[in-house]
Amino acid sequence: MASAHLPGDETSHELSGVVVGWKHRAFARNIHLTVQSSRTTRPTPDAIDTHHLLMTRNQAMLLANYLMRLTGQEIPVRPRRTLWQRLFG
C-alpha cells in the first residue's frame, strides 16, 4: 500500500480513498499518471487529493493487464491486416 509523509509530520499515512478522476500522458519513455481521489463519498473541491505517478511503460502494461483480468474483461484483439492493406496501407 502506498504511504505519504505530510509536511511537519513524521508519521506515515496510508494513501487511500475513492478515485474521482485520472488522466495520463506520455513523458519521455514513461507514463505520467495523475490520479485524483477523495476520502469522502461526496467530494468537495477542497477534499480532493491529487497524486502524480511516474511509471515505465512496462509497469503501466502490467497494471492494465491486472485491472482487465480483475474486471473479467478481455484485451481487444486487433484484426489481422490483409497483404493488400499492409502493402498499400
Side-chain angles (χ1 to χ4, degrees):
M1 201 44 84
S3 61
H5 295 282
L6 299 177
D9 189 1
E10 296 301 318
T11 60
S12 179
H13 299 278
E14 185 176 302
L15 299 177
S16 62
V18 178
V19 174
V20 293
W22 63 276
K23 65 181 178 179
H24 69 282
R25 67 183 177 100
F27 184 77
R29 300 194 65 160
N30 300 311
I31 304 291
H32 176 224
L33 179 64
T34 304
V35 179
Q36 292 181 320
S37 65
S38 175
R39 286 182 236 153
T40 62
T41 55
R42 293 180 184 240
T44 58
D46 59 328
I48 294 179
D49 299 318
T50 302
H51 310 282
H52 298 275
L53 306 169
L54 185 64
M55 61 179 87
T56 65
R57 292 182 182 268
N58 191 43
Q59 289 172 322
M61 181 56 80
L62 290 171
L63 177 60
N65 283 334
Y66 171 74
L67 293 173
M68 293 289 284
R69 278 188 282 124
L70 188 65
T71 59
Q73 299 182 36
E74 294 182 15
I75 297 173
V77 178
R78 291 175 56 184
R80 289 192 59 137
R81 294 174 46 178
T82 64
L83 177 61
W84 185 263
Q85 290 172 329
R86 284 184 279 172
L87 292 175
F88 300 105

